[in-house]
Amino acid sequence: MPAITPGAQARPCPADEQLLLAHEHESREMEHYRGLALSFLPTRPHVSRLMAALGIECEQRIGALEALAEKLQLRDLQMYAPSRYPSWAEVRRHHLFITDDAMACQALSHALAVAHHSRQFSELMARYCHLPELDALLVQFIEHKRAACHLLEEAQAGAYAVPARA
């Protein structure tokens, strides 16, 4: 694959590829939040509920992308996207329960970093979007992701404020 040099023009991405890329990203993000919801459930149910709610927001964004693809009569996104629900073997392999404050802080730091990356991804998608309907969706997604980052920052601040147990 040729290297991209600074100032080089990116090739335009067809609308169906842009939709597919956004769909795949949201699907992976949804799986990430669902896994975190399960991880936090035993010891921090309030954080688990936050992660579940963020996963539901991803699911709603996926639905909006699929509705747009249908409206534009583009190929079916589900046919080309990875499975929405990981297999049980994948869940067990990647799943880890949060058992102490240190793990909670580390998991929340990682979740916040992933959330910032997701917002940046959506901003880049919007910047190079050639489809007005998708651009409008991406603008909404960016606002949702900014709010998610804020909520995760609050959860992280609360986790660090927890006094150490004797």
Side-chain angles (χ1 to χ4, degrees):
M1 183 184 303
I4 298 177
T5 58
Q9 293 290 334
R11 74 170 178 85
C13 187
D16 59 340
E17 288 182 22
Q18 289 178 334
L19 276 167
L20 179 60
L21 189 57
H23 189 275
E24 287 177 355
H25 178 78
E26 291 299 328
S27 295
R28 284 189 178 87
E29 189 173 14
M30 179 183 66
E31 290 173 7
H32 175 72
Y33 283 127
R34 286 182 173 173
L36 285 171
L38 186 58
S39 294
F40 278 103
L41 188 59
T43 57
R44 289 170 178 76
H46 64 287
V47 176
S48 177
R49 286 188 297 274
L50 170 61
M51 297 302 175
L54 294 174
I56 290 168
E57 286 184 5
C58 292
E59 191 171 6
Q60 291 169 344
R61 289 192 293 266
I62 290 167
L65 290 167
E66 290 172 355
L68 178 58
E70 186 176 318
K71 175 184 172 196
L72 298 174
Q73 298 178 341
L74 296 174
R75 67 182 186 209
D76 183 53
L77 292 179
Q78 291 180 345
M79 187 168 76
Y80 298 99
S83 170
R84 282 191 186 185
Y85 305 103
S87 69
W88 178 244
E90 289 174 354
V91 170
R92 287 187 58 209
R93 184 178 53 199
H94 299 292
H95 177 70
L96 180 66
F97 283 120
I98 304 299
T99 59
D100 59 35
D101 293 341
M103 286 179 75
C105 290
Q106 184 178 18
L108 284 168
S109 292
H110 178 72
L112 182 57
V114 170
H116 281 298
H117 169 77
S118 182
R119 177 190 44 80
Q120 291 169 341
F121 174 84
S122 294
E123 289 171 348
L124 283 170
M125 286 286 296
R127 184 179 196 182
Y128 295 105
C129 185
H130 301 289
L131 186 63
E133 296 93 336
L134 178 57
D135 186 52
L137 276 180
L138 290 170
V139 168
Q140 292 174 10
F141 291 5
I142 292 165
E143 289 307 311
H144 294 165
K145 290 170 188 283
R146 282 189 182 129
C149 288
H150 179 71
L151 291 170
L152 288 167
E153 287 166 354
E154 288 178 353
Q156 184 182 39
Y160 283 114
V162 172
R165 296 184 183 117

